[in-house]
Amino acid sequence: MNTSGLVDQGLRLSPFRGLRYVPERVGSLAAVTSPPYDVVVRPDGLHHLESADPHNIVRLILPQAETARDRHQQAASTLDRWLAEGVIAPDPAPVLYVYEQRNDEILQRGLIGTLALSPAADGIVLPHEDVMDDVVADRAELMRTTGAHLEPLLLTYRGGTGAPTGAAAVIERAVLREPLLATTTEDGFRHRLWAVTDPAERSEIQTDLARHQALIADGHHRWATYLRLQREQTAPGPWDRGLVLLVDTARHPLRVRAIHRLLRGLPVSRALKALTGLFRVRPVEGPLPRALDALAEAADGGNAFLLAGDGRFHLVDRPDPALLARTVRADRPDAWRTLDATVLHSALLDDVWQIPDAPEHIGYIHDTAAAVEQAERLDATAVLMHPVREEVVRDLARQGVTMPRKSTSFGPKPATGLVMRSLALD
């Protein structure tokens, strides 16, 4: 995503004084990290993280209390206490951070800094999914109360593929130096962080990024929250920037996975009965990986979903064209109209099953096995999705067309808790 028309108007990434855990004050850096707040599988994942270390970051991003106000205040009090006790401390000077994640299959490197905010209409940071107002309101109150950005968004841009220049060259030089931290989380990913302190290197990064635009890969609700909080301010200040991780996907392609739906209160038997005459429904053999292979094969030919929750797997495909014509908006590009998420929400959830898109009715779960397990435990229906190709996401974003919310899961996502931002320090 590189165009000369964006010179001096593109991405503006600034250094900041990161808040980081003091290793000597915690059991281990790995034990205090967490996946992003919306990836934690509640309640099992939440309890697991809380018990990993008394200072796990989940106590800030997903505080537990009776009311929303109490939760947000608890997070702020906890953050203040950890700062006072020296569990978390700010770095001595503003820097940009190089962040690396790797396992046996994936190597991802990017830059963490504070990015100048801009609305989608400016074409600098492009969203590709709709957001839920209640989630944005909750995240906004948490940010207001804590005065902090607790986890970076994941943004992608398209740089060059030849010899590294600009930001890519700085990153390649940085990883040859001694890191600020190194840890391995329980998912097998190894994480390293470096500080870019040289003004010439920071200038090299900023000049390069000014020629690019970015796609929001993960963190649409947090980006919308940044923009909401910025609009509330009456003067320029720290709320004009947001904490992000920027990854050049020309060099480090991301994985794109689906986000699955848990339909609470809808048993699989009732879900299947409602599909009679509207979709083709077939049983497929397990175990789960084998059933997902069948879903992938069916998805090559059109819209397809895998239903689970009754101990079996049911492949749902070949929707009735008349149903789609009646339920899917006609004023959108074909690429949007044929998305599985579009058909799911427009035809199935809104029309056939008539399920409101509210947290008490629909859960959004990233982990496939967890979605199936929860559906079976709750006598509910898990709708397993096939991932969208990244180029489809990017093309729609360039057209200014947003996908149904929670349509994609880009990764690997940055570990939460390695570096945070206090707005009071800017």
Side-chain angles (χ1 to χ4, degrees), residues 292-371:
L292 290 173
D293 287 342
L295 172 62
E297 182 178 349
D300 287 340
N303 300 119
F305 312 95
L306 192 65
L307 304 192
D310 60 353
R312 294 172 291 177
F313 298 102
H314 310 269
L315 185 62
V316 175
D317 64 357
R318 296 189 184 179
D320 176 20
L323 172 67
L324 301 185
R326 177 168 55 83
T327 59
V328 177
R329 290 177 55 170
D331 61 344
R332 294 290 181 96
D334 285 345
W336 182 91
R337 289 173 50 81
T338 56
L339 288 170
D340 286 340
T342 297
V343 172
L344 173 63
H345 282 262
S346 298
L348 286 170
L349 297 178
D350 292 349
D351 190 86
V352 177
W353 292 327
Q354 298 184 3
I355 298 177
D357 194 355
E360 61 269 26
H361 298 287
I362 303 177
Y364 293 86
I365 301 178
H366 293 71
D367 184 83
T368 309

Side-chain angles (χ1 to χ4, degrees), residues 13 38 212 246 319 409:
L13 193 69
D38 58 339
H212 294 278
L246 272 170
S409 176

Side-chain angles (χ1 to χ4, degrees), residues 2 20 25 70 173 178 211 216 221 230 338 347 405:
N2 183 355
R20 296 191 292 115
R25 298 302 307 274
D70 288 345
R173 293 195 296 269
E178 188 71 19
R211 301 181 296 111
I216 301 176
H221 288 91
Q230 181 191 39
T338 56
R405 48 184 167 260

Side-chain angles (χ1 to χ4, degrees), residues 157-173:
Y157 70 100
R158 299 288 292 177
T161 56
T165 60
V170 174
I171 290 172
E172 293 301 311
R173 293 195 296 269

Side-chain angles (χ1 to χ4, degrees), residues 138 144 196 307:
D138 180 76
R144 282 192 208 97
V196 178
L307 304 192

